[in-house]
Amino acid sequence: MGRAKKVVLAYSGGVDTSVCIPYLMNEWGCEAVVALSADLGQGEDLEAIRQKALKSGAAEAYVEDVRQEFIEQYAFPALQSNALYEGRYPLATALARPLIAKILVDIAHKTGCDAVAHGCTGKGNDQVRFDVSIAALDPTLKVLAPAREWGFSRQETIEYGEKYGIPSPVKKKSAYSIDQNLLGRSIECGILEDPWAEPPEEVYAMTKSVNDCPAEPTYVEIQFVQGIPVALDGENIKPVELVDRLNQIAGDNGVGRIDMLENRLVGIKSREIYESPAMLVLIRAHQELEALTLPKEVTFYKQQQIEATYAQLVYNGLWYSPLKMALDGFVRETQQVVTGTARVKLHRGTCTVVGRKAKLSLYSEELSTYTSSDTFDHKAAEGFIYVWGLPTRVWSQVHRKP
Ligand code: ARG
């Protein structure tokens, strides 16, 4: 008896996941492999990839278009949480993993698989996200990760594949490891492994270099209803198209690049380049609308207690965890009033919110104006400051020698 009878494999069409198919059958004794590819807006020919899975020996091969679910159920809750890992990375890769895990588990159930497989190696975050998400959704399924155990070099992987009729890649492998979906691109390896080296322009694909950006700024008005973006410049747009269009507009203005050194869950520091135009713009706009519509205490608590934790949970593979679900409840409650419009200026790599408005705005010009027509009771400030400063005054009387 092998490691599993029938296994569903997360299939990308690359050499590693292709070689996983014969490997699972010939080395690990699986009777059949079902290949599953997810359309997350990565812009690849998925029918060709499906055919390649069958040619590589898969018994069945499926493509699932999950773009809408990805944006509505994964990206938008993260947006409502302003989720940025280590304050910067909007989690494009990390958010896709729990959704891929979910469709893997669904297909496993539909096709009678007793195991799920993926092509991750043992050094990254993605293996954690897959393993934990699959376990959360169905703890009875086995998880197999051939590339974590086989110890092949790239050349050995190709040679192993050739034995089973998997053609060696025609294109020379890019110097980079790239993961891409609607929310962005994550780029690693090659020269980027030197944290001192500036990323060459060739690593970028969604964003223009500042040198090639229009001289004039582009303005976009983003309308939110309860923390969800619903329209651009007054035109209602469905979620997938909205993200798509915003990627285009922001990317054309050079907005969305991140060069960061981050802490992986597995203890390694790594240098990452990201492009995530739409998500970065949406988070900025959303933060600004929250500033207008949420009371101070809610904003502070959400920023300080919820958002960083939320981002860490997503990054660390705990999307389907009880804490993450509880935080979703908190965030959802806060978003009831986050309805309005942010006006964003995109210009040569910068994204600036230059206007915001909301029906339920808590901003009062009458109160905040510096002109004499304000309605603020100036005299009341005196008593407030007396009480507010009392503990400091007492401390000073005891400790400060004149
Ligand atoms: N460091 C990022 C993350 O953990 C990106 C990982 C990129 N993955 C990849 N297979 N190239 O989310």
Side-chain angles (χ1 to χ4, degrees):
M1 161 75 186
R3 293 228 198 162
K5 272 174 81 71
K6 187 171 178 183
V7 50
V8 54
L9 167 71
Y11 186 71
S12 71
V15 178
D16 287 319
T17 54
S18 295
V19 167
C20 280
I21 298 172
Y23 195 92
L24 283 164
M25 297 194 298
N26 296 295
E27 312 303 322
W28 288 2
C30 300
E31 288 166 22
V33 177
V34 178
L36 174 64
S37 309
D39 184 353
L40 294 151
Q42 64 270 49
E44 289 175 314
D45 179 352
L46 287 164
E47 178 52 27
I49 289 176
R50 199 181 76 81
Q51 292 301 331
K52 186 170 178 194
L54 294 170
K55 271 199 216 109
S56 305
E60 302 161 54
Y62 302 96
V63 170
E64 298 259 334
D65 180 353
V66 288
R67 287 174 299 164
Q68 187 179 344
E69 191 176 359
F70 184 39
I71 300 304
E72 290 180 347
Q73 308 296 325
Y74 294 78
F76 283 173
L79 163 62
Q80 292 180 313
S81 310
N82 301 318
L84 294 168
Y85 182 64
E86 294 183 341
R88 300 181 68 196
Y89 163 44
L91 298 159
T93 296
L95 285 164
R97 299 304 180 253
L99 172 54
I100 299 171
K102 177 174 166 262
I103 60 175
L104 285 166
V105 170
D106 288 347
I107 293 272
H109 292 159
K110 276 189 206 140
T111 59
C113 291
D114 57 334
V116 176
H118 59 74
C120 301
T121 62
K123 278 167 79 172
N125 297 311
D126 288 329
Q127 51 165 347
V128 182
R129 298 169 184 149
F130 279 127
D131 288 21
V132 175
S133 298
I134 292 161
L137 295 169
D138 182 352
T140 68
L141 285 169
K142 286 174 260 203
V143 182
L144 306 180
R148 194 157 57 192
E149 296 185 35
W150 64 32
F152 290 161
S153 67
R154 171 118 189 124
Q155 194 49 38
E156 287 164 344
T157 312
I158 292 172
E159 279 162 20
Y160 184 93
E162 279 172 341
K163 276 205 300 194
Y164 294 97
I166 295 166
S168 67
V170 259
K171 284 193 301 194
K172 215 177 130 267
K173 188 178 152 53
S174 133
Y176 310 104
S177 159
I178 299 167
D179 179 63
Q180 174 155 6
N181 62 48
L182 257 175
L183 301 183
R185 289 173 82 240
S186 307
I187 311 130
E188 300 168 328
C189 297
I191 181 76
L192 304 175
E193 286 176 358
D194 174 1
W196 181 250
E198 182 176 353
E201 197 52 40
E202 63 175 15
V203 306
Y204 299 107
M206 297 176 84
T207 55
K208 277 195 184 155
S209 151
V210 166
N211 297 325
D212 301 329
C213 289
E216 295 303 314
T218 305
Y219 290 87
V220 200
E221 290 184 14
I222 307 172
Q223 191 190 333
F224 289 83
V225 173
Q226 300 193 328
I228 300 291
V230 296
L232 295 180
D233 292 328
E235 182 192 342
N236 284 324
I237 314 182
K238 291 199 182 113
V240 171
E241 284 76 36
L242 187 141
V243 170
D244 216 21
R245 196 175 310 173
L246 208 48
N247 272 332
Q248 195 64 46
I249 301 171
D252 281 347
N253 283 281
V255 169
R257 295 183 175 185
I258 301 161
D259 175 347
M260 77 187 271
L261 200 105
E262 78 188 25
N263 290 291
R264 286 191 191 162
L265 177 60
V266 294
I268 301 171
K269 283 193 188 291
S270 72
R271 202 283 187 84
E272 307 275 336
I273 302 299
Y274 297 112
E275 294 182 285
S276 203
M279 273 305 262
L280 286 177
V281 172
L282 286 170
I283 289 174
R284 272 303 297 130
H286 177 258
Q287 286 170 330
E288 209 56 35
L289 209 53
E290 286 193 331
L292 195 61
T293 53
L294 294 182
K296 174 179 166 180
E297 294 74 18
V298 176
T299 305
F300 275 34
Y301 192 86
K302 184 169 179 281
Q303 277 177 3
Q304 291 169 6
Q305 309 297 325
I306 306 292
E307 295 181 355
T309 305
Y310 195 99
Q312 282 164 25
L313 291 171
V314 175
Y315 188 87
N316 292 338
L318 297 174
W319 182 266
Y320 300 112
S321 68
L323 178 56
K324 151 71 178 48
M325 289 187 270
L327 296 187
D328 274 330
F330 177 93
V331 172
R332 215 176 297 122
E333 179 64 28
T334 62
Q335 298 303 296
Q336 309 278 334
V337 296
V338 186
T339 296
T341 305
R343 185 160 185 260
V344 181
K345 178 178 177 177
L346 304 164
H347 191 217
R348 296 185 150 259
T350 64
C351 163
T352 319
V353 177
V354 293
R356 65 291 276 158
K357 61 179 180 185
K359 270 218 181 70
L360 298 176
S361 166
L362 302 175
Y363 175 84
S364 157
E365 201 160 340
E366 262 180 24
L367 279 173
S368 70
T369 180
Y370 277 91
T371 63
S372 55
S373 66
D374 70 323
T375 55
F376 186 79
D377 181 352
H378 289 245
K379 260 181 68 65
E382 202 181 314
F384 164 75
I385 296 166
Y386 174 77
V387 175
W388 172 251
L390 196 52
T392 308
R393 189 188 310 264
V394 171
W395 170 272
S396 184
Q397 277 162 358
V398 172
H399 292 279
R400 253 189 220 280
K401 304 286 165 257

